[in-house]
Amino acid sequence: MAVRTCLNVSRSLITELREGTLESLMLTPFSRYGYFAGNMLQQTVTSMGEIALAFILCMPFGFSAQGFSLPFFLLSLMASLVAFFGMSMMLGALMLYTRDTYISQNTLFIFMYLVS
């Protein structure tokens, strides 16, 4: 989930730049927060769908969610999404500054995996 949300939300900026629509997008009177929040929502919904599908496919193989706590899950999901959103904004700014996607995103993900 971290990879999908951080990577795709931050990559949306560099995609707009490469397609030549970033300047016109930034000149229009729209909510920049709404643009990124909508992109984050899309990535979150598709990620949650993939997770639900993985749970369903694992049930015939003995998967059991007896210790699952829905309130704790929702609280940790919200905290994680806020953190992922912030990291994707910083990564997007770094990608725009360096005009590169692969080195900056790979460096961030290596750091995330080593720290966690």
Side-chain angles (χ1 to χ4, degrees), residues 17-43:
L17 179 70
R18 287 181 180 160
E19 291 176 355
T21 57
L22 183 65
E23 291 81 13
S24 60
L25 182 68
M26 291 298 158
L27 291 174
T28 59
F30 78 106
S31 169
R32 285 162 180 79
Y33 173 76
Y35 172 76
F36 293 115
N39 199 335
M40 182 76 170
L41 180 66
Q42 174 198 6
Q43 301 305 324

Side-chain angles (χ1 to χ4, degrees), residues 64-82:
S64 175
Q66 290 177 343
F68 183 75
S69 171
L70 185 62
F72 181 71
F73 172 75
L74 292 176
L75 181 67
S76 62
L77 178 67
M78 291 300 129
S80 297
L81 289 178
V82 169

